[in-house]
Amino acid sequence: MGTPLLLFADSVAGLSVGTWLLILDWVIRLAALLWIPSRTTPAAARSWMLLVGFIPLLGLPLYLLLGHPWLSRQRVLRQAQASGVIREGQLPLKALRWPPDGGAATEMVPLVERQGDFMPTRGNAVQLLDRYEDSLRALLADIGSARQQVHLLYYLMFDDAVGDAVVEALLQAAARGVECRLLLDAVGGKRGLRRYRKRLCQAGVQVHDLLPGGLRWRRSGRMDLRNHRKIAVIDSNVAYVGSQNLAAAEFVRGFPNRELVARVQGPVVTHLESVFASDWYIETGERLHVPLDCPLQPADTATQLLPSGPAYPFENARDAVNALIHLAQRRVVLTTPYFVPDDATLAALRIAALSGVEVQLILSECNNQRLTGWAQESYYSELLACGVKIALYRPHFLHAKHMSVDDDIALLGSINLDIRSFALNAEIGMICYDHATVARMREVEADYLRQSIAVDAERWNRRPAWRRSREGIARLADSLM
C-alpha cells in the first residue's frame, strides 16, 4: 500500500491534457482577478478581465505585454530631472510671466503649471495655419533660413515627397554648419528612419528613435507606448506645434488629412525647445543647452505649454481638457479625429451640456482606424440625449486636434480625445489665453461646420441593432486602443 503522497502523485499523473488545461484556465482567471484590478484603472481592468475570462491563454500574455502603462525607471527618473531643470530655468524669467486677470484662466494656470511644469508667458505671436501645404511650406522655409539649430520632434515621418523635402532641407542646413537634430517615434517614424537615417547621419544630422522596441523594449517601457508629439524649433526663434506629421496629406490612402498647426514666436519657443531637450535627454542621456533670450513679440499673446505622458505622475492632458470643459460658461468646441473618452471626460461633457453650455463636437465622418470609429459611435446617443451637438466633417479625414472655450481660451496640439492620448502617449498641447487666437480658431471651426453634417438624434437612434452591437463590442476595448 503506497503512502498518501505517492497516491496523490499517481492521481495527478493520471489527469488528462484536457483536465490540465481546464485547471490552468481557472488558475489564470483567479490570478487575473486578484492582480489586474490592483494595477490598472477600473475601466481598463474590466476590459482586460473580460478578455482573460473569455480567452485566458491569450489574455494573460497580452496583459503582461500591454496591460500596464509602465515606463522604465530610468525614463521616469529622467523626466523628473528634466521637470526640475525646467522649473528652475524659469526662475530668471519671472518678468515674462503672464498674470491671469480672472475667469477660467485663473484656475487653469496653476493646474497646468503644477502638472506640466511650464508657467504662462506673455509676449508671444501665434499664427494658426489650417492649410496642409501652407504649414509645410512655412516649415521648410524656416529650416531653409536656419543659421544655428534645427530641432524636429515628430511622431510620424513617411518616405514620400514630404519626407524627401524635409530631409533635403536638413541636409542643406547641415551643409551650412547648422546643428540639426531629429527625434522620431520608433513606430510612427519607422519608414522615415529606414529610408533616411543613414543619409542624414552621414551628413552630420543627429537622428534618434523614441521608445524603440525589439531587444531594447525593456529599457523603454510597455511596448505600445508612443511619443505622439509634433514640434519643430528653428534657431530658438520660431517654432511649430500642432497635429501635422512629416508626411504627405494622403499618407494613408483614401484619407487625405486636414490639420491645424501653430507657428509661434516669443518665450513659448524656449518652452517648446525645453520639451525637445527633455525628450532628447530621456532618450540619449545628453543634456542640451536651451537659450533663454527669446524676444517678446508685439502681438503679446499669453500662452502656456501642456506636455503630458506616462512619465508624468498624473494624466495631464485629460485633467486639463476636463477642467476646460467644466470651466466653460457659454460655449465649448472640441475637434478631434479620435473620440473614445474615459468616464471623467464623458461626464464633463454631459454636465456642461445639461448646465446650458453649448457643447459642439466636430469629428471626422471617415476614420482611418475602423475599430476606433465603431467605438466612437457608441457614445453618440448618450451625448445627443443631453444636448451635445455632433458634426461629422466630410471632405477629408479631419486630423486636427483643438478646442476653444468661450471667447478667451484655445488649446491645440497633438492631443486626441481618447484614452490612448490621455494615458499612453507622450503628447504636447499649447493653451492660448487670448481673444484674437480664439477668434481665429472660431473661423477654422466655422469652416469645418460648413462642410459637415449634423448627427440627428432621432435618425441616429433608428440605426440597425447589428450596428449597436458592433459599437458596444468595440467600446469594450476602449482601454486597449
Side-chain angles (χ1 to χ4, degrees):
M1 183 176 182
T3 65
L5 183 60
L6 291 175
L7 290 173
F8 175 74
D10 289 341
S11 63
V12 168
L15 293 178
S16 66
V17 173
T19 303
W20 275 115
L21 288 176
L22 180 63
I23 293 172
L24 181 60
D25 273 5
W26 278 102
V27 168
I28 291 174
R29 289 188 178 102
L30 291 173
L33 181 63
L34 296 173
W35 190 30
I36 291 177
S38 67
R39 294 174 59 84
T40 58
T41 64
R46 285 192 293 270
S47 298
W48 283 110
M49 288 299 300
L50 185 65
L51 179 61
V52 173
F54 270 104
I55 319 173
L57 294 177
L58 174 64
L60 179 63
L62 283 177
Y63 176 78
L64 294 175
L65 287 174
L66 306 175
H68 184 61
W70 66 274
L71 276 176
S72 68
R73 291 182 180 179
Q74 182 186 66
R75 288 177 179 271
V76 174
L77 176 61
R78 285 181 175 178
Q79 177 61 69
Q81 292 170 339
S83 292
V85 171
I86 288 170
R87 290 177 181 274
E88 292 177 9
Q90 293 177 96
L91 294 178
L93 304 177
K94 285 186 176 181
L96 302 179
R97 186 182 186 91
W98 175 77
D101 56 356
T106 303
E107 297 187 47
M108 284 304 302
V109 162
L111 170 67
V112 174
E113 186 168 1
R114 287 168 184 157
Q115 290 193 329
D117 306 321
F118 291 102
M119 70 180 185
T121 59
R122 58 187 180 86
N124 300 289
V126 178
Q127 179 187 8
L128 298 185
L129 304 170
D130 72 321
R131 301 299 174 189
Y132 206 99
E133 295 303 322
D134 290 348
S135 55
L136 177 61
R137 191 179 301 111
L139 174 62
L140 292 173
D142 283 326
I143 295 175
S145 62
R147 291 294 176 266
Q148 297 172 337
Q149 288 181 331
V150 174
H151 287 163
L152 303 181
L153 163 59
Y154 281 85
Y155 168 69
L156 186 146
M157 185 179 192
F158 252 43
D159 52 346
D160 56 16
V162 171
D164 290 345
V166 171
V167 167
E168 186 59 33
L170 288 174
L171 293 174
Q172 292 180 12
R176 297 193 304 270
V178 177
E179 193 172 38
C180 298
R181 295 182 176 90
L182 175 64
L183 280 175
L184 292 174
D185 181 80
V187 173
K190 183 177 181 179
R191 288 177 57 165
L193 288 164
R194 184 170 56 232
R195 177 166 178 176
Y196 303 122
R197 187 204 288 262
K198 183 177 180 180
R199 185 179 170 198
L200 287 168
C201 290
Q202 288 175 343
V205 178
Q206 299 180 58
V207 181
H208 283 282
D209 50 342
L210 293 157
L211 294 166
L215 297 177
R216 295 180 288 169
W217 75 272
R218 290 291 303 180
R219 291 191 285 113
S220 298
R222 173 172 152 173
M223 294 180 68
D224 65 333
L225 298 184
R226 304 272 42 99
N227 192 309
H228 193 241
R229 294 169 178 155
K230 292 99 174 164
I231 297 172
V233 184
I234 296 96
D235 282 350
S236 302
N237 177 61
V238 62
Y240 292 78
V241 60
S243 61
Q244 188 167 334
N245 287 293
L246 301 179
E250 198 169 351
F251 68 89
V252 177
R253 188 177 299 276
F255 296 90
N257 285 15
R258 183 166 180 183
E259 312 282 1
L260 185 66
V261 175
R263 181 182 186 272
V264 298
Q265 291 182 281
V268 69
V269 174
T270 297
H271 288 175
L272 286 166
E273 186 141 37
S274 297
V275 175
F276 179 92
S278 297
D279 281 351
W280 187 269
Y281 172 64
I282 291 169
E283 199 60 52
T284 70
E286 179 187 2
R287 297 174 184 263
L288 301 179
H289 171 68
V290 178
L292 302 178
D293 56 351
C294 213
L296 297 177
Q297 300 296 309
D300 201 28
T301 301
T303 67
Q304 188 175 23
L305 280 196
L306 172 66
S308 65
Y312 290 90
F314 306 102
E315 293 185 15
N316 300 354
R318 183 200 63 179
D319 292 348
V321 167
N322 291 349
L324 285 169
I325 296 170
H326 283 300
L327 290 169
Q329 296 294 310
R330 296 177 300 281
R331 188 177 191 226
V332 58
V333 181
L334 304 101
T335 302
T336 182
Y338 308 116
F339 180 74
V340 186
D342 62 4
D343 290 342
T345 306
L346 196 63
L349 292 168
R350 181 176 65 249
I351 291 168
L354 293 174
S355 299
V357 176
E358 181 186 351
V359 181
Q360 175 72 69
L361 268 177
I362 305 177
L363 310 173
S364 189
E365 185 179 42
C366 63
N367 198 307
N368 62 5
Q369 302 290 335
R370 185 168 296 180
L371 184 64
T372 300
W374 294 341
Q376 174 175 294
E377 292 175 345
S378 72
Y379 297 92
Y380 291 177
S381 293
E382 178 180 351
L383 292 171
L384 291 167
C386 60
V388 174
K389 299 177 181 178
I390 303 175
L392 303 180
Y393 181 78
R394 309 195 82 173
H396 304 89
F397 176 51
L398 186 58
H399 191 250
K401 312 147 196 301
H402 52 88
M403 67 183 294
S404 58
V405 178
D406 297 332
D407 299 317
D408 49 7
I409 299 181
L411 167 65
L412 76 153
S414 66
I415 302 166
N416 295 311
L417 296 183
D418 64 5
I419 297 171
R420 166 159 289 280
S421 265
F422 289 165
L424 304 180
N425 288 344
E427 305 282 7
I428 186 66
M430 182 178 70
I431 301 176
C432 300
Y433 306 99
D434 178 65
H435 290 273
T437 304
V438 174
R440 171 70 180 111
M441 186 173 285
R442 293 287 193 213
E443 293 176 0
V444 175
E445 293 164 351
D447 188 57
Y448 296 158
L449 292 172
R450 281 191 294 270
Q451 302 180 73
S452 301
I453 59 168
V455 179
D456 178 74
E458 184 177 346
R459 184 177 180 182
W460 180 254
N461 289 332
R462 292 200 302 267
R463 69 197 186 282
W466 65 267
R467 287 191 60 180
R468 297 171 187 261
S469 298
R470 181 181 70 182
E471 295 160 10
I473 294 171
R475 184 168 172 171
L476 290 174
D478 60 357
S479 299
L480 316 179
M481 295 179 186

